[in-house]
Amino acid sequence: MAFEDNQQLTRIFEEIADFLELQGENIFKVKAYQKAARGLEGLERSVSELYRSGALASMPGFGKALVEKVGQFVDRGEVELHQQLKSSFPPEILHLMDVPGLGAKKAALLYKELGIGSVDALEKALREGLVTDIKGFGTKTVDKLLEGIGLLRQGEQRWLLGRVSVLAEELLARLRALPVVQRAEAAGSLRRGKETVGDLDLLVISSAPEQVMEFFAGLGEVIGSGPTKTSIRWEGTFQIDLRCVPAESFGAALQYFTGSMDHNVALRGRARRMSCELNEYGLFDALGQCIASETEEEIYAKLGLPWIAPELRESGAELEWERQPERLELGKLQGNLHTHSLWSDGTDTLEQLAEEAQRRGYRYLAVTDHSRSMVVANGLTVERLLAQGEEIARLNRNFKNFRLLWGSEVDILGDGTLDFPEEILARLDFVVVAVHSQFSMSPEAMTERICRGISHPHVDVLAHPSGRKINRRAGYQADWERVYAVAREHGVALEINCSPRRLDLNDKAARRARDCGCLISLGTDAHSLPEFDYLPLGVLQARRAGIEASSLLNSLSWEQLRKRRPHLADV
DNA sequence: GCCGTTTTCGGCCCGACTGTTTTCAGTCG
C-alpha cells in the first residue's frame, strides 16, 4: 500500500514535536520526534511491518521510547502521549506556528497571556491591538505577523523542481553578469535535486558584496537584508536567499547551505568526534586552525570521507556507506524512452522529434503515442498505429547511428488487459504500459490490475507507476512490493517519469524498486521539444535513488534493447 | 529522546538577521 500507517504516524510525531515545543520542552527531545517523523515520511516499507519484525529498533533515531510509541500506534492506532497533549490545548493551536515569523515561544506566550489558540483568533487580536501589551510584540512584529497570516492564507506550496531550476539559472546568469561577482552558485534543496523546493539559496563570491546585495534587493520584495545576506520574495510568495561569502571559504559555505540539515548534523558530529569544528567558514582543528574550506572535496577528505554528491545528502546515513554509488551522467544515456508526437497529443512531427533527439546526442528515441482508449489524447487506432510504424520505418532508413523506436504508451484497462492485442504489441519496438483511468479502485484491485498489465508478453516499461501528480493528487493505492516483484519476474522496467509535475517513481520508491531487482527506465513523457529538457530532472531523481547506469534501461544500446525483444526480425 | 572507537551522562550545529527587552531572545535555515 502507499503505507497509510506511515503517513498517519509521521503526522502524529510531528504534532507531538510541535506540542512539546509549545510546552517549552527540551529542544532536543522535540528534534528527536521531528527526526523520527522525517525518517518515517518516505519510508518504502510499512512501519507496522518493521515494528512487528523487530527491524525498527535498528533504524537510526528510533530508541526505546520511540519504538514503544510506535508499538502503541500499531496496537491501538494512537499514541498515548499524543492524545494527552491534544486534549490539553485548543484544537487549532498548532496552526499558529505555521505563520511565518511566529515560533513556539511566541505562540506559547500568546496562548498563555490572551488565550489565543487559532490563526483567526490571532488575526483578530493583532487587528484590535490586543497584543501590544505583551513583551516582545512591537508594531513591526504585529505588521510582520499580519503579513505572515496573509502569506499562509495564500497557501502557496513548495515550487516544483523544474520551475525553480529555470528560475535559478536565470538569476545566476544575471548575478554572474555583474562585474563585481566572481562566482555564483545555487545551493539548498535545488542543488540536492529535491522534487519540490521550499526556497532558493544562492551563494556568490564578490569583491563588492554591498553592490550585489543592492542589485539583488531590487529583484523582489525584501524580507531582510544585511551586509552578507539578503532575502527577497519572488512573485510575492517564493523566498530567495542570497549570501556573499569569502572566496577562501566558498566550499564550506556551499557544503553548509546545500544541506540537508540531517546530513550537516551528521557531518558536524563526525567533525566533533575528530576534535574539529565545522561551520560555513571551514573545518577547524582543536587549535582553531582552519584545515579545509576552499572546496567541498577537501572538507570531506579531511573528515575521512569521499566527496558525497549533493543528491545523496539527505538522512546522514550516507556518511556510513561502504561505497558511494557511481554517479549517473546525462551524457551516458543512449536515449529517451517515452515521448509523444503529433500522431496523438504531442505537438511535433516524427521528423522534428528525431532531429531534436539527434541534436541532443541520443542514439535512439522511443515514440510512445497513446493507445486507442485514450480518446481525449487522440489515441491511435490499430490502423493508425500500423501507418505510423511504416512512417517510422521509412524515416529510419535515412538515419546514421540513430533510430526512432516504434512504440506505444498502452493503457492498462480496468481489468488488467491491454489496449492493443498481443499480435500488435509483438510488432512494436518498444511497449510502455500505464494506468490512465479508474484511479480510485481498491488497493487490491489496483494491484491485480497493474500486475496483470505488466505480465503480458512484450511489455518493456511500466510508466509513471504511482500515478501521482506533485502538489495535485496522490498516487493510486497498490501493494508496490508485489508490483516490483512481478515487474522483476517479467523483466519489466519501472519508469522514472521525468516530467517535473510527476517525477514518478519518486526517489525513494525508485531506490526500493531497484533494491527489489527491477530495472529503471527514464522517460521525459515529452509532448513538445522543450520538454526534452526534463531528462536531467529524472537523472537527478535516479541519482537520489542511488541508481547506477547498470540498472538503467537507457544505458543499453539499440542492439541490446532489441535483444530484449527476440521476436523482432532483424532490420 | 537519542547516542557512544575518548562518554551510559552530557552532549546534541550554529550563525545571520530582526525587533526591541539597552545586551539579547526569537526565528530561521
Side-chain angles (χ1 to χ4, degrees):
Chain A
M1 309 298 136
F3 305 129
E4 264 178 81
D5 50 347
N6 295 20
Q7 288 170 23
Q8 282 171 17
L9 191 54
T10 298
R11 182 106 189 97
I12 289 173
F13 280 174
E14 280 170 350
E15 289 191 1
I16 290 177
D18 285 349
F19 280 127
L20 292 177
E21 200 179 3
L22 206 55
Q23 279 188 339
E25 256 290 0
N26 180 339
I27 192 66
F28 295 105
K29 191 171 179 174
V30 172
K31 283 173 189 285
Y33 280 98
Q34 287 170 344
K35 188 178 175 192
R38 283 198 301 275
L40 292 176
E41 203 172 16
L43 203 61
E44 280 302 308
R45 308 282 304 277
S46 151
V47 67
S48 309
E49 251 177 66
L50 285 175
Y51 173 76
R52 292 200 190 95
S53 69
L56 189 67
S58 56
M59 264 180 63
F62 285 84
K64 206 175 148 202
L66 278 170
V67 170
E68 199 238 311
K69 287 182 175 65
V70 174
Q72 290 176 13
F73 173 77
V74 171
D75 293 338
R76 307 201 285 274
E78 245 302 351
V79 175
E80 217 172 288
L81 174 63
H82 182 237
Q83 295 199 301
Q84 266 173 32
L85 289 165
K86 238 166 70 170
S87 63
S88 51
F89 287 99
E92 290 185 39
I93 195 163
L94 295 186
H95 293 311
L96 280 181
M97 290 189 283
D98 293 334
V99 177
L102 189 62
K105 293 278 169 60
K106 283 190 168 148
L109 201 57
L110 288 166
Y111 177 55
K112 182 165 159 256
E113 298 292 326
L114 296 173
I116 290 172
S118 70
V119 176
D120 286 344
L122 172 63
E123 186 175 16
K124 188 158 178 280
L126 289 168
R127 293 203 188 281
E128 293 175 357
L130 300 178
V131 302
T132 43
D133 293 339
I134 307 176
K135 203 174 154 191
F137 286 81
T139 54
K140 284 197 176 175
T141 302
V142 169
D143 290 348
K144 210 173 161 180
L145 290 179
L146 281 171
E147 197 193 334
I149 290 172
L151 284 171
L152 185 66
R153 296 247 161 87
Q154 284 181 26
E156 195 62 23
Q157 289 148 325
R158 292 170 64 90
W159 281 22
L160 300 185
L161 176 62
R163 185 178 182 189
V164 183
S165 308
V166 172
L167 173 60
E169 280 315 313
E170 180 196 323
L171 292 177
L172 288 171
R174 292 173 70 175
L175 287 166
R176 286 170 186 147
L178 298 177
V180 294
V181 167
Q182 280 83 59
R183 188 172 174 191
E185 302 292 343
S189 47
L190 171 68
R191 183 165 180 245
R192 300 203 308 281
K194 263 189 86 98
E195 62 190 29
T196 60
V197 178
D199 56 23
L200 175 57
D201 294 294
L202 302 176
L203 296 181
V204 299
I205 300 173
S206 170
S207 50
E210 64 284 353
Q211 280 185 43
V212 182
M213 292 297 147
E214 198 188 328
F215 168 79
F216 186 67
L219 296 179
E221 175 198 342
V222 176
I223 304 170
S225 184
T228 63
K229 178 189 169 185
T230 294
S231 301
I232 64 168
R233 237 188 283 282
W234 184 262
E235 292 180 6
T237 53
F238 188 71
Q239 184 169 336
I240 310 176
D241 296 338
L242 176 77
R243 290 178 173 82
C244 257
V245 302
E248 61 272 19
S249 58
F250 191 80
L254 190 60
Q255 193 289 312
Y256 181 88
F257 291 111
T258 295
S260 70
M261 189 177 70
D262 288 339
H263 178 87
N264 285 359
V265 167
L267 204 61
R268 286 178 175 227
R270 188 182 178 94
R272 193 164 274 278
R273 285 192 296 279
M274 297 168 77
S275 300
C276 291
E277 276 228 27
L278 180 64
N279 60 29
E280 62 260 53
Y281 296 106
L283 179 65
F284 300 87
D285 67 14
L287 301 172
Q289 293 289 318
C290 181
I291 53 175
S293 63
E294 244 187 272
T295 67
E296 285 190 340
E297 285 80 356
E298 59 177 342
I299 292 167
Y300 282 97
K302 288 277 195 226
L303 290 169
L305 293 166
W307 179 76
I308 297 175
E311 312 87 48
L312 296 170
R313 300 178 196 170
E314 283 297 331
S315 71
E318 57 278 2
L319 266 55
E320 311 301 328
W321 291 346
E322 276 184 26
R323 69 177 265 276
Q324 297 291 315
E326 196 182 315
R327 203 178 192 202
L328 205 56
E329 298 296 342
L330 186 63
K332 295 268 178 66
L333 302 189
Q334 303 270 334
N336 181 348
L337 291 172
H338 184 168
T339 60
H340 296 271
S341 77
L342 260 179
W343 283 75
S344 64
D345 57 348
T347 62
D348 306 285
T349 63
L350 296 173
E351 289 93 330
Q352 287 170 317
L353 288 176
E355 193 180 316
E356 181 69 11
Q358 292 176 85
R359 192 181 72 75
R360 289 173 184 255
Y362 301 164
R363 308 301 299 276
Y364 50 76
L365 182 84
V367 179
T368 52
D369 279 312
H370 288 288
S371 58
R372 55 190 174 185
S373 286
M374 283 289 280
V375 178
V376 288
N378 192 23
L380 276 61
T381 59
V382 169
E383 292 69 30
R384 289 180 64 220
L385 181 68
L386 294 175
Q388 187 192 38
E390 286 171 22
E391 171 79 5
I392 287 173
R394 189 181 63 75
L395 288 169
N396 272 334
R397 283 194 281 274
N398 297 322
F399 297 137
K400 281 198 183 117
N401 299 319
F402 176 78
R403 281 195 71 97
L404 279 180
L405 307 192
W406 177 32
S408 178
E409 180 178 5
V410 185
D411 266 49
I412 301 176
L413 304 177
D415 60 358
T417 57
L418 298 181
D419 200 18
F420 282 133
E422 213 170 282
E423 62 272 19
I424 297 295
L425 300 181
R427 296 173 60 178
L428 295 172
D429 293 333
F430 201 70
V431 175
V432 172
V433 297
V435 168
H436 289 114
S437 60
Q438 292 174 265
F439 295 158
S440 48
M441 298 174 104
S442 74
E444 294 73 22
M446 187 59 90
T447 305
E448 197 50 42
R449 174 185 182 183
I450 296 173
C451 289
R452 275 196 71 187
I454 59 179
S455 300
H456 287 86
H458 319 307
V459 175
D460 292 290
V461 173
L462 174 62
H464 43 74
S466 89
R468 67 122 174 218
K469 285 196 176 167
I470 302 174
N471 285 349
R472 303 196 80 107
R473 70 170 190 230
Y476 19 83
Q477 306 253 310
D479 178 350
W480 296 110
E481 295 286 307
R482 168 115 195 280
V483 170
Y484 300 159
V486 172
R488 178 179 174 226
E489 185 192 336
H490 292 272
V492 172
L494 292 165
E495 182 178 70
I496 294 180
N497 187 290
C498 307
S499 163
R501 290 175 291 278
R502 289 191 184 268
L503 295 176
D504 177 14
L505 297 176
N506 70 16
D507 47 8
K508 298 219 171 59
R511 179 182 291 275
R512 183 69 199 148
R514 191 273 321 269
D515 288 346
C516 290
C518 297
L519 279 170
I520 301 294
S521 172
L522 292 177
T524 58
D525 206 350
H527 287 69
S528 65
L529 300 183
E531 292 181 1
F532 277 48
D533 282 344
Y534 294 163
L535 200 57
L537 302 178
V539 168
L540 270 173
Q541 302 315 303
R543 284 179 181 172
R544 287 175 62 80
I547 286 165
E548 301 183 320
S550 58
S551 299
L552 211 60
L553 210 54
N554 310 58
S555 298
L556 301 181
S557 65
W558 153 239
E559 290 74 18
Q560 289 168 315
L561 269 181
R562 189 168 51 179
K563 278 186 199 148
R564 287 171 47 88
R565 302 177 66 74
H567 54 282
L568 286 179
D570 267 31
V571 268

